[in-house]
Amino acid sequence: MEHHPTIFQIPNFLGALGIAGPWVPEHVTMAWLVMAILVGLSYVATRRLEAVPGPMQNFMEVVVEGFGNLLEQMIGPKGKRYLPLIGTAGLFILVGNLLGSIPGLKPPTANLNTTAALAITVFLSYNYFGIREHGIVAYLRHFCGPILWLAPIMFPIEFIGHLARPISLSIRLFGNIFGEESVIAILLSLIWLVIPYAIYLGVMMPLSLFTSVVQTFIFVMLSMVYIAGAVEVGHEEHH
Amino acid sequence: MRREGEAGFTGRAMKDNEVSLWRQLAGLSSLGITFAAAIAIGAAIGVGLDRWLETSPWLTILFFLFGVAAGFANLVKDLKRWGR
């Protein structure tokens, strides 16, 4: 499988940071492209806000409202507080995944570095939200379980269990998108056989659109579950 | 606020059973990876501590077991929450 470069590349101006090579790494360029797309869309949508929204503003309102409703259903009436984090992550992942369907571009989420950055951000955020909600002592006490003498055993177990979350978040997203990307690359390298082209258009294209949306959804859903778990720590004991 | 007839995946507020289905999908699809990741992290912490404190192989064994326990604890917790 040969390596297909993306359509545009940026000369490496980050040598001072220890990044080698003549070009900025592909996934970073693509991540910047996603950011540019999202910033552009947001700017166009909010440039002239009107009471009776135009098509662009309407679309964006629907998207933002969708995230907001989901948050309220998952976390409760306070859920809208977390809209900036969840909405940004969700839109970034969705647009990033969908870039894979455009020839010449690559999804930034097909690189473990990008997904790890997202997952670590979510991990640190939900712990911060938990600490902000309960105070650091109460939050850490929940790690130790209900029985005091079991705490030395419970704490490492809970701790490891929490550390496993960002790993599973990042590896799942990376694995799905990278795998799909690899299959498409192989199919396209065999394109002179004609049949792979039919498979690509008929099977992989719809499938990749489907995985893009589903993986975004799973990432967002799990992030919300984690935040809900951290914020509601105390409530579990009252039931 | 529900907008009927509007196209789009996130465009409408989803019904409760729809949300719980997706939440189940998200939760259950992460069972395997989380289980493996917990064991791997436990073992990694153990190896790291052993190198640092030069107590090989005891902390590796201990934290490997912690990792397995964490994996099973997560499994049971997730299944209780989503496996209905």
Side-chain angles (χ1 to χ4, degrees):
Chain A
M1 186 171 78
E2 76 257 60
H3 185 77
H4 299 281
T6 50
I7 295 176
F8 58 83
Q9 297 192 306
I10 302 174
N12 189 358
F13 58 92
L14 299 168
L17 296 174
I19 293 164
W23 309 103
V24 172
E26 238 160 32
H27 60 278
V28 178
T29 318
M30 288 298 118
W32 287 342
L33 177 64
V34 173
M35 291 177 205
I37 292 173
L38 286 178
V39 168
L41 272 182
S42 315
Y43 175 71
V44 170
T46 57
R47 192 180 36 182
R48 279 193 312 270
L49 288 177
E50 287 162 36
V52 182
M56 199 59 219
Q57 187 190 341
N58 198 1
F59 174 72
M60 290 306 268
E61 271 181 13
V62 168
V63 170
V64 172
E65 231 169 59
F67 276 108
N69 286 329
L70 210 55
L71 277 163
E72 281 187 344
Q73 269 165 307
M74 297 281 292
I75 304 180
K78 271 191 189 169
K80 282 237 165 94
R81 276 178 95 180
Y82 310 107
L83 181 63
L85 174 71
I86 296 293
T88 309
L91 286 176
F92 180 84
I93 294 171
L94 182 64
V95 174
N97 290 349
L98 290 176
L99 275 196
S101 314
I102 303 173
L105 299 180
K106 285 197 172 154
T109 40
N111 188 298
L112 188 54
N113 292 299
T114 312
T115 59
L118 288 163
I120 290 170
T121 308
V122 166
F123 174 72
L124 294 179
S125 306
Y126 86 73
N127 282 303
Y128 168 70
F129 293 145
I131 291 169
R132 186 176 65 183
E133 202 77 10
H134 300 284
I136 188 154
V137 179
Y139 185 70
L140 285 181
R141 192 184 292 142
H142 176 73
F143 276 53
C144 298
I147 309 164
L148 192 63
W149 60 271
L150 273 178
I153 302 174
M154 289 300 287
F155 187 78
I157 290 179
E158 279 286 317
F159 186 69
I160 292 172
H162 274 261
L163 281 184
R165 288 169 165 188
I167 299 219
S168 82
L169 267 186
S170 56
I171 289 184
R172 185 198 4 260
L173 182 57
F174 155 72
N176 276 283
I177 305 301
F178 178 75
E180 165 203 307
E181 196 57 22
S182 306
V183 172
I184 289 179
I186 291 169
L187 281 178
L188 290 184
S189 73
L190 296 173
I191 212 145
W192 51 275
L193 284 174
V194 179
I195 293 175
Y197 193 62
I199 298 176
Y200 169 63
L201 281 185
V203 180
M204 284 317 289
M205 199 72 175
L207 197 62
S208 83
L209 291 179
F210 181 70
T211 17
S212 297
V213 176
V214 167
Q215 288 306 318
T216 308
F217 217 81
I218 286 180
F219 191 98
V220 167
M221 270 290 177
L222 280 176
S223 307
M224 284 193 250
V225 170
Y226 295 157
I227 291 176
V231 172
E232 291 166 359
V233 161
H235 295 277
E236 281 172 25
E237 282 134 37
H238 297 303
H239 292 182
Chain B
M1 183 178 158
R2 186 167 298 169
R3 298 185 177 186
E4 293 292 355
E6 204 128 27
F9 193 66
T10 52
R12 66 213 151 84
M14 291 197 294
K15 295 172 199 91
D16 275 348
N17 57 352
E18 229 174 308
V19 168
S20 76
L21 178 74
W22 279 99
R23 190 158 68 168
Q24 257 182 331
L25 179 65
L28 291 176
S29 75
S30 71
L31 284 185
I33 305 177
T34 317
F35 187 67
I39 297 176
I41 288 176
I45 292 177
V47 170
L49 284 178
D50 260 349
R51 282 210 186 128
W52 182 39
L53 302 170
E54 294 174 358
T55 50
S56 176
W58 301 111
L59 288 179
T60 307
I61 297 173
L62 180 68
F63 274 86
F64 176 77
L65 292 178
F66 276 148
V68 174
F72 274 107
N74 267 347
L75 204 59
V76 170
K77 219 185 287 173
D78 287 358
L79 280 178
K80 258 189 200 159
R81 198 185 299 161
W82 288 305
R84 268 166 283 155

